[in-house]
Amino acid sequence: QVQLVESGGGSVQAGGSLRLSCTVSTYIINVACMAWFRQAPGKEREEVAGLYTLAGIITYADSVKGRFTMSQDNAKNMIYLQMNTLRPEDTAMYYCAAGEHSCEYNVWGQGTQVTVSA
């Protein structure tokens, strides 16, 4: 089974930037879909960005459009989430997820915490 390891979380002030990385244990093109999710305490999990790997199509939640950018590096088997103009409401645990055969995500990383202070 695919394994995912996130890194790059941390604490920043509002307006700052962070880049999250997700190391994928297999060739990304062998995975149907990949995504970044987040979950804040007391809130439902939210998909912030999703990638159809073969087509290279990326979708974003309205809450992050224009601020977050998801990208892939097939040579390194890495997925990234560049987060700019961060807001306190972006504070959450961020997870990398993979759908091995469809966009029903069945593999999850351990998560990385992002904290944005006002």
Side-chain angles (χ1 to χ4, degrees):
Q1 189 183 42
V2 174
Q3 294 182 326
L4 307 172
V5 178
E6 303 98 332
S7 60
S11 297
V12 295
Q13 290 189 327
S17 299
L18 284 173
R19 188 177 81 155
L20 305 184
S21 300
C22 176
T23 303
V24 186
S25 65
T26 187
Y27 294 116
I28 293 173
I29 60 172
N30 289 341
V31 178
C33 291
M34 296 210 63
W36 288 98
F37 285 79
R38 68 184 180 186
Q39 188 165 23
K43 294 188 177 181
E44 292 188 357
R45 186 172 59 196
E46 175 188 24
E47 181 177 341
V48 297
L51 166 67
Y52 298 89
T53 57
L54 287 179
I57 296 172
I58 300 173
T59 60
Y60 297 95
D62 288 343
S63 57
V64 305
K65 277 182 183 176
R67 301 188 298 121
F68 289 14
T69 303
M70 183 175 184
S71 61
Q72 63 187 108
D73 185 331
N74 291 344
K76 296 181 179 179
N77 295 330
M78 298 286 291
I79 297 290
Y80 303 100
L81 186 67
Q82 177 67 43
M83 305 185 294
N84 298 328
T85 320
L86 283 161
R87 304 167 180 169
E89 54 264 39
D90 295 319
T91 295
M93 187 70 79
Y94 283 71
Y95 297 91
C96 180
E100 292 178 286
H101 308 294
S102 71
C103 291
E104 293 185 12
Y105 298 99
N106 64 320
V107 182
W108 297 83
Q110 83 286 355
T112 186
Q113 178 69 37
V114 171
T115 303
V116 184
S117 58

